[in-house]
């Protein structure tokens, strides 16, 4: 015992002596000057660790090109479903902040419910963008006449899913695709030849038909402000800058430039292949028809359960989800397709949905959508959970401020619906009535001058994609322009304004209104803009700022040269009545008692849409200064030539 204690004491003394010696020895100092202050490797340390693992893979496609893919896995995951987004917007950034402590805080807000549910979240750069190899083609068409290669977004999605289910052992082998805008387009493309492991799809605000009503055109009118997006996306592989500008107000900038073609050439945008292709195809020819996913999806319908989402006030992609769902329903595939129309601007479902502009909703409608619709939908098809109580069509009611659920949509239409459309006629003294006009010859005229086009927003109009300082200042008015107060134009002499008397009973509309305008022009071309507006009472008790507000419920533009055919334009016979009939966006609204219904008619929404010279030229992009001429427009409202907006009116 003494021997053991003595030996222990001796060891302690030696240890103390060594410690004192080490303390007295000169310390090795870091050099004042280093060869390289950037280490070869460094891993960010998060206090307390992380509850997820980030993996990066270069996934090979069938042609040998490798695509940069970010895989965010919950720690300890097993038998977890995979949620895939294919993006041109930088997979690293889209996957969120990899230095966060939790997957919930790392991923974007729109992914919150999926992170909480333990999903494996995957973001991938499409070929040619950011970390991915290969060539980038804007909205790459499917293989065929417009794409002679052996790859497209269909094959890339197939190859990606095939790799994921074989190389992510934590998964249960089931995959869903989700994404908004361009990402919605890639999700929709995958449905044309889905991998067997693709068990569900959620295309949100997808670009489906870029000519008829999504990004590039609306009913033949070109969307000028998307040129900045093309510049940003195609000038370089990574993040690009928007077209340089020497003018703060885009209205002034485009007006001074002349035609859209003149603007494009003055900025060098004609050197961008996609811009050049667009300018060569101003009509709805084989170039655009071959990219129309509505036709392709209807011709090759999949059995993949698909939830289509679209914002009622989507300022960029108003057309796609709605028309894809309608086409698939008509093709006999309603049973595996659902539709959600929410009170949102473009891609607002990825953030919060409490409000849009001056409109305030009853809760966070974006969270309600993701939590109560998307997640149960995915859980059923990816985890065999009980079927979600999801209505075939869910549409937010912007008048009653609640979700409405339907087994079909629209509830009122021209043919095949329980309710027929009801015409709201333009009448004398700028009135509106459900009674047909009886005058033998009646109309209202205004002068449309291309030198003074009607703005789509109060000036100055900012570039929606240009960063002023550190924020995209132009995006805020751009994102909510479809609900902006229309009083800023209703005093102009080139805007016709028609109103009902004050309503004494609610008027409920559910469906797709149809503009039906009979008009004559002294020109040989021209555009028609129709706005359906809810006019609030002069005083609103609980929200004084809404007093007299002119809220657009649905509005759109139509290029007159396409009144007979979008593929084969023709000059408008001067001074001869013509009919312009076109659909407005979806509505689910109640015009409340005390409100009025208003219709505004004008000839421009500038500079969002290019100016029509009002003189017929083969290609409006190439219009010359002398082609831009003022024209007198006469909107007819007689018994023989009635003008109306056909409303999908329903009883309660």
């Amino acid at each position: 015992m003494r021997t053991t204690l003595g030996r222990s004491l001796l060891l302690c003394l030696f240890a103390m002596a060594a410690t004192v010696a080490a303390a007295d020895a000169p310390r090795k100092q870091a050099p004042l000057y280093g060869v390289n202050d950037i280490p070869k490797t460094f891993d960010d340390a998060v206090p307390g660790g992380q509850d997820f693992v980030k993996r990066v893979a270069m996934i090979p496609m069938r042609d040998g090109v490798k695509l940069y893919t970010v895989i965010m896995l919950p720690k300890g995951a097993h038998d977890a479903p995979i949620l895939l987004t294919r993006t041109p917007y930088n997979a690293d950034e889209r996957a969120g902040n990899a230095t966060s402590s939790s997957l919930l805080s790392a991923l974007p807000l729109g992914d919150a419910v999926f992170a909480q549910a333990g999903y494996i979240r995957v973001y991938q750069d499409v070929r040619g963008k950011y970390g991915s190899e290969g060539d980038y083609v804007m909205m790459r068409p499917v293989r065929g006449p417009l794409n002679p290669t052996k790859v497209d977004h269909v094959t890339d999605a197939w190859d990606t899913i095939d790799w994921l289910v074989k190389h992510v052992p934590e998964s249960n082998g089931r995959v869903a695709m989700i994404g908004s805008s361009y990402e919605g387009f890639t999700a929709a493309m995958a449905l044309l030849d889905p991998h067997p492991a693709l068990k569900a799809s959620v295309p949100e605000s997808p670009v489906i038909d870029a000519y008829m009503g999504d990004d590039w055109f609306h009913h033949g009118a070109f969307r000028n402000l998307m040129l900045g997006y093309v510049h940003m996306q195609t000038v370089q592989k990574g993040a690009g800058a928007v077209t340089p500008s020497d003018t703060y107000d885009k209205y002034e900038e485009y007006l001074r430039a002349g035609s859209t073609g003149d603007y494009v050439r003055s900025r060098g945008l004609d050197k961008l292949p996609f811009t050049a292709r667009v300018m060569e195809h101003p009509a709805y020819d084989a170039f655009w028809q071959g990219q129309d996913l509505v036709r392709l999806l209807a011709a090759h319908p999949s059995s993949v359960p698909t939830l289509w989402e679209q914002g009622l006030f989507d300022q960029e992609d108003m057309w796609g989800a709605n028309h894809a769902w309608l086409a698939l329903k008509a093709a006999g595939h309603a049973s595996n397709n659902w539709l959600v129309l929410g009170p949102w601007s473009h891609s607002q479902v990825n953030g919060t949905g409490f409000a849009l502009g001056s409109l305030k909703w009853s809760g966070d409608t974006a969270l309600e959508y993701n939590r109560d619709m998307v997640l149960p939908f995915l859980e059923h098809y990816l985890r065999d959970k009980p079927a979600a109580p999801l209505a075939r069509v869910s549409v937010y009611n912007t008048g009653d401020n609640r979700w409405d659920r339907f087994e079909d949509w629209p509830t009122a239409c021209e043919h095949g619906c329980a309710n027929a459309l009801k015409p709201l006629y333009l009448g004398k003294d700028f009135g509106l009535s459900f009674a047909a006009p009886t005058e033998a010859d009646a109309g209202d005229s205004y002068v449309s001058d291309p030198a003074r086009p009607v703005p789509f927003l109060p000036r100055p109009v900012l570039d929606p994609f240009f960063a002023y300082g550190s924020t995209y200042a132009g995006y805020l008015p751009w994102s909510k322009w479809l609900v902006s107060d229309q009083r800023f134009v209703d005093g102009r002499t080139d805007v016709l304004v028609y109103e009902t008397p004050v309503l004494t009973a609610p008027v409920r509309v559910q469906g797709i209104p149809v503009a039906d305008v009979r008009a004559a022009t002294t020109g040989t071309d021209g555009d028609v803009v129709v706005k359906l507006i809810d006019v609030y009472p002069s005083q609103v008790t609980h929200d004084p700022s809404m007093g007299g507000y002119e809220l657009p419920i649905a509005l759109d533009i139509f290029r007159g040269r396409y009144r007979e055919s979008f593929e084969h334009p023709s000059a408008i016979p001067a001074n001869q009545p013509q009919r312009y009939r076109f659909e407005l966006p979806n509505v689910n609204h109640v015009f409340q008692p005390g409100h009025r219904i208003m219709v505004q008619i004008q000839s421009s929404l500038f500079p969002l849409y290019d100016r029509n010279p009002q003189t017929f030229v083969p290609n409006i992009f190439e219009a010359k200064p002398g082609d831009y001429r003022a024209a007198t427009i006469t909107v007819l409202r007689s018994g023989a030539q009635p003008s109306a907006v056909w409303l999908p009116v329903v009883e309660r």
Side-chain angles (χ1 to χ4, degrees):
M1 186 71 175
R2 289 181 181 178
T3 303
T4 301
L5 287 174
R7 186 174 301 162
S8 298
L9 181 60
L10 187 61
L11 289 173
C12 288
L13 291 174
F14 276 131
M16 292 174 61
T19 302
V20 172
D24 292 340
R27 294 185 179 181
K28 184 178 180 181
Q29 295 183 345
L32 296 178
Y33 173 81
V35 177
N36 188 353
D37 282 343
I38 300 177
K40 292 181 179 180
T41 60
F42 182 81
D43 293 326
D44 291 308
V46 178
Q50 294 176 299
D51 67 1
F52 68 95
V53 175
K54 175 182 176 180
R55 295 179 191 160
V56 173
M58 293 297 290
I59 298 181
M61 301 294 103
R62 62 191 62 185
D63 62 345
V65 167
K66 295 179 180 179
L67 303 188
Y68 184 87
T69 309
V70 179
I71 305 169
M72 305 286 277
L73 295 121
K75 270 188 179 175
H78 62 88
D79 294 328
I82 296 173
L83 192 56
L84 168 65
T85 296
R86 303 190 62 252
T87 182
Y89 302 128
N90 192 345
D92 266 326
E93 287 191 2
R94 292 290 289 116
N97 183 6
T99 63
S100 296
S101 60
S102 70
L103 187 61
L104 180 62
S105 60
L107 290 174
L109 179 60
D111 284 339
V113 296
F114 311 122
Q116 291 171 324
Y119 278 61
I120 299 170
R121 195 66 174 94
V122 179
Y123 283 92
Q124 181 185 73
D125 289 327
V126 298
R127 60 172 60 218
K129 290 299 288 183
Y130 293 91
S132 287
E133 300 172 353
D135 298 325
Y136 178 68
V137 177
M138 178 79 78
M139 313 304 298
R140 184 185 296 268
V142 295
R143 291 157 291 161
L146 299 175
N147 177 2
T149 73
K150 296 181 180 180
V151 294
D152 55 17
H153 287 296
V154 185
T155 63
D156 285 352
W158 204 102
D159 294 346
T160 298
I161 293 172
D162 194 62
W163 188 95
L164 288 171
V165 296
K166 292 175 179 176
H167 293 84
V168 182
E170 296 87 349
S171 83
N172 63 2
R174 301 187 190 186
V175 179
M177 289 189 69
I178 192 171
S180 182
S181 194
Y182 198 120
E183 298 168 356
F185 159 73
T186 60
M189 287 283 277
L191 295 171
L192 295 176
D193 182 19
H195 190 283
L198 182 63
K199 301 301 184 182
S201 182
V202 187
E204 299 171 328
S205 306
V207 185
I208 297 293
D209 189 336
Y211 186 92
M212 291 306 300
D214 286 326
D215 282 322
W216 313 121
F217 294 81
H218 269 221
H219 298 120
F222 181 67
R223 293 164 64 82
N224 279 328
L225 294 187
M226 294 306 297
L227 287 169
Y229 173 84
V230 178
H231 185 282
M232 180 175 66
Q233 281 296 103
T234 64
V235 166
Q236 57 194 30
K237 184 176 181 179
V242 176
T243 312
S245 175
D246 59 357
T247 308
Y248 186 66
D249 186 356
K250 302 302 286 187
Y251 183 101
E252 178 186 352
E253 181 177 60
Y254 275 95
L255 191 60
R256 289 191 315 190
S259 69
T260 296
D262 292 331
Y263 175 87
V264 164
R265 284 182 289 272
S266 69
R267 270 69 181 174
L269 301 180
D270 53 325
K271 298 180 181 64
L272 299 177
F274 182 77
T275 302
R277 291 199 299 273
V278 169
M279 293 183 64
E280 291 173 359
H281 299 278
Y284 195 56
D285 57 13
F287 174 77
W288 294 110
Q289 293 176 30
Q291 299 181 68
D292 177 13
L293 274 178
V294 170
R295 302 180 188 212
L296 295 171
L297 289 164
H300 306 281
S302 82
S303 59
V304 176
T306 304
L307 176 60
W308 300 90
E309 178 276 328
Q310 183 172 299
L312 292 167
F313 304 106
D314 190 319
Q315 78 283 4
E316 293 180 32
D317 295 309
M318 180 70 79
W319 184 272
N322 168 50
H323 286 82
W325 184 85
L326 289 171
L328 288 164
K329 181 182 75 166
H333 284 260
S335 62
N336 67 299
N337 286 275
W338 290 259
L339 177 65
V340 176
L341 303 173
W344 308 306
S345 62
H346 185 64
S347 297
Q348 191 180 352
V349 290
N350 293 322
T352 59
F354 291 104
L356 179 60
S358 298
L359 305 181
K360 302 175 182 64
W361 313 123
S362 59
D364 186 348
T365 57
L367 175 61
E368 292 164 1
Y369 160 77
N370 283 303
R371 180 193 63 204
D372 304 334
M373 300 180 201
V374 180
L375 183 60
F377 173 77
L378 296 179
E379 289 283 271
H380 177 59
Y381 291 105
L382 272 66
R383 277 180 166 152
D384 295 326
K385 296 289 183 68
L390 183 63
R392 186 64 53 190
V393 182
S394 302
V395 189
Y396 199 82
N397 188 318
T398 53
D400 280 341
N401 206 350
R402 65 161 191 252
W403 286 101
D404 288 337
R405 293 166 176 83
F406 308 95
E407 285 309 306
D408 200 4
W409 184 263
T411 56
C413 60
E414 289 185 275
H415 306 289
C417 293
N419 302 281
L421 295 179
K422 189 174 183 178
L424 183 62
Y425 292 101
L426 278 58
K428 63 180 181 180
D429 300 324
F430 297 100
L432 289 174
S433 173
F434 288 110
T438 57
E439 291 94 334
D441 186 16
D444 302 303
S445 299
Y446 65 92
V447 175
S448 171
D449 187 354
R452 191 172 174 266
V454 182
F456 80 103
L457 271 175
R459 295 178 62 187
V461 176
L462 307 185
D463 190 323
F465 302 110
F466 188 80
Y468 295 93
S470 60
T471 61
Y472 285 89
Y475 196 81
L476 291 177
W478 161 253
S479 65
K480 60 186 179 182
W481 85 267
L482 284 172
V483 296
S484 59
D485 191 341
Q486 296 302 298
R487 281 179 289 191
F488 82 102
V489 296
D490 76 1
R492 288 181 59 122
T493 58
D494 53 359
V495 178
L496 297 180
V497 180
Y498 300 86
E499 288 183 287
T500 65
V502 173
L503 300 176
T504 57
V507 176
R508 299 176 180 276
V509 287
Q510 295 173 353
I512 304 170
V514 176
D516 189 5
V517 177
R518 320 291 179 101
T521 175
T522 59
T524 53
D525 200 359
D527 294 343
V528 179
V529 175
V530 175
K531 307 173 186 175
L532 177 64
I533 297 170
D534 183 349
V535 182
Y536 281 59
S538 299
Q539 290 185 328
V540 177
T541 303
H542 300 295
D543 192 353
S545 66
M546 292 298 291
Y549 200 98
E550 294 180 6
L551 172 67
I553 299 303
L555 66 90
D556 217 333
I557 189 170
F558 184 92
R559 182 137 287 172
R561 60 174 49 210
Y562 301 116
R563 70 203 178 281
E564 296 175 342
S565 168
F566 283 103
E567 185 175 2
H568 303 291
S570 60
I572 299 173
N575 300 308
Q576 295 185 27
Q578 302 291 300
R579 188 178 190 181
Y580 306 95
R581 186 178 175 87
F582 57 100
E583 291 182 351
L584 298 179
N586 290 272
V587 297
N588 184 28
H589 188 73
V590 182
F591 297 93
Q592 301 286 2
H595 292 225
R596 288 170 290 161
I597 303 175
M598 174 184 285
V599 170
Q600 291 183 1
I601 297 178
Q602 58 200 57
S603 294
S604 48
L605 285 169
F606 190 74
L608 172 55
Y609 294 97
D610 62 333
R611 291 183 303 153
N612 193 313
Q614 303 184 150
T615 302
F616 184 84
V617 294
N619 187 335
I620 285 184
F621 290 127
E622 305 303 334
K624 307 304 180 192
D627 298 325
Y628 291 86
R629 301 175 187 172
T632 298
I633 315 298
T634 301
V635 175
L636 307 174
R637 48 175 179 77
S638 66
Q641 294 282 2
S643 292
V645 175
W646 291 73
L647 298 179
V649 177
V650 298
E651 297 300 323
R652 183 173 180 82

